[in-house]
Amino acid sequence: MKDTAKHQGLRNQLVSVLEQKGITDKNVLAAINKIPRHLFLDSSFSDYAYQDKAFPIGAGQTISQPYTVAFQSQLLEVKPEHKVLEIGTGSGYQTAVLCTMGAKVYSVERQKELFKSTSLLLPKLGIRPKHLSFGDGYKGLPNFAPFDSVIVTAGAPFIPKPLMAQLKIGGRLIIPVDNEQGVQIMTMLIRKTETQFEKHEFGEFRFVPLLENKN
């Protein structure tokens, strides 16, 4: 579990790349500059960990590219102590970014293998989400709702109603949604009232699909 000066230098370079690509949120950049992404990857990829690329992490899943993590995190506008529901814990890297930004993170993962490995990894790195659970992301975590924001880290065929219901008024739901052409469009819903949501779209991204039920 080593994090060296060389790794820190590579993270500094990654942050510069993200700034050039338009990431401006200082809290997001500081979190990415601090978190040892190489420790979230299979050791065979660790030399490439600070490239702006996605990598496989097991169970047919990927760790998102840093730009995508930064972009979604920036859209959330996280404030300290915000309750954030994360659908798709995966490697735990996005979880770590949100925790480092001061969020109270409640995360759901449907792949048992990833749930187990990430539950062990995060505490070793001093990262303590409020709640990690093994379950169906489409259902969210109603027992812990409402949330200040919801982030979905897999491409969904539609926006699950339970996730909308678990959002506070004024809260944000960030989710990649498939359009008719099968392209994933980064989508943000802001809850205006009990029944009204304002929708924004931010162009094309690539994610693994959001699957129902546990595995």
Side-chain angles (χ1 to χ4, degrees):
M1 303 290 279
K2 283 215 293 280
D3 186 29
T4 64
K6 180 188 165 199
H7 291 125
Q8 185 59 63
L10 292 169
R11 285 201 288 281
N12 294 344
Q13 288 172 14
L14 174 59
V15 165
S16 299
V17 168
L18 297 179
E19 286 181 309
Q20 286 160 18
K21 289 187 172 184
I23 302 298
T24 55
D25 187 318
K26 294 289 181 251
N27 289 338
V28 174
L29 294 167
I32 285 176
N33 203 14
K34 185 176 177 188
I35 296 163
R37 187 176 188 245
H38 61 285
L39 300 179
F40 291 83
L41 290 168
D42 187 287
S43 57
S44 58
F45 293 113
S46 64
D47 287 351
Y48 310 102
Y50 297 104
Q51 295 180 9
D52 191 19
K53 289 183 179 155
F55 291 103
I57 53 168
Q61 306 301 300
T62 57
I63 181 171
S64 292
Q65 80 177 86
Y67 174 72
T68 303
V69 171
F71 190 86
Q72 283 195 290
S73 302
Q74 179 165 285
L75 287 179
L76 286 178
E77 294 190 356
V78 172
K79 305 281 185 291
E81 302 296 299
H82 263 190
K83 275 175 74 177
V84 180
L85 172 61
E86 179 190 34
I87 304 301
T89 319
S91 68
Y93 181 68
Q94 174 76 72
T95 319
V97 168
L98 295 171
C99 288
T100 304
M101 289 172 69
K104 294 178 171 174
V105 182
Y106 297 74
S107 192
V108 183
E109 175 55 56
R110 70 176 290 280
Q111 302 283 353
K112 195 66 172 255
E113 171 193 340
L114 293 179
F115 171 70
K116 284 180 172 169
S117 59
T118 300
S119 299
L120 291 171
L121 175 66
L122 290 173
K124 284 182 189 164
L125 301 176
I127 291 159
R128 309 204 178 276
K130 290 296 282 183
H131 186 78
L132 289 178
S133 65
F134 171 60
D136 181 352
Y138 276 85
K139 298 189 173 87
L141 289 172
N143 295 352
F144 295 99
F147 295 96
D148 293 291
S149 51
V150 180
I151 177 172
V152 180
T153 61
F158 56 87
I159 302 175
K161 289 279 192 298
L163 302 185
M164 294 167 68
Q166 290 168 36
L167 200 57
K168 280 184 187 170
I169 289 173
R172 297 173 161 225
L173 167 60
I174 314 293
I175 180 170
V177 184
D178 301 335
N179 66 8
E180 284 82 54
Q181 287 74 46
V183 173
Q184 294 164 356
I185 303 297
M186 189 69 76
T187 305
M188 175 168 74
L189 293 185
I190 301 176
R191 187 167 202 171
K192 291 300 192 183
T193 64
E194 281 297 323
T195 54
Q196 284 181 304
F197 290 81
E198 182 181 289
K199 183 178 176 185
H200 302 262
E201 294 185 338
F202 297 93
E204 190 179 327
F205 284 77
R206 291 203 182 283
F207 287 84
V208 293
L210 180 65
L211 304 171
E212 276 193 88
N213 304 317
K214 303 177 201 180
N215 190 19

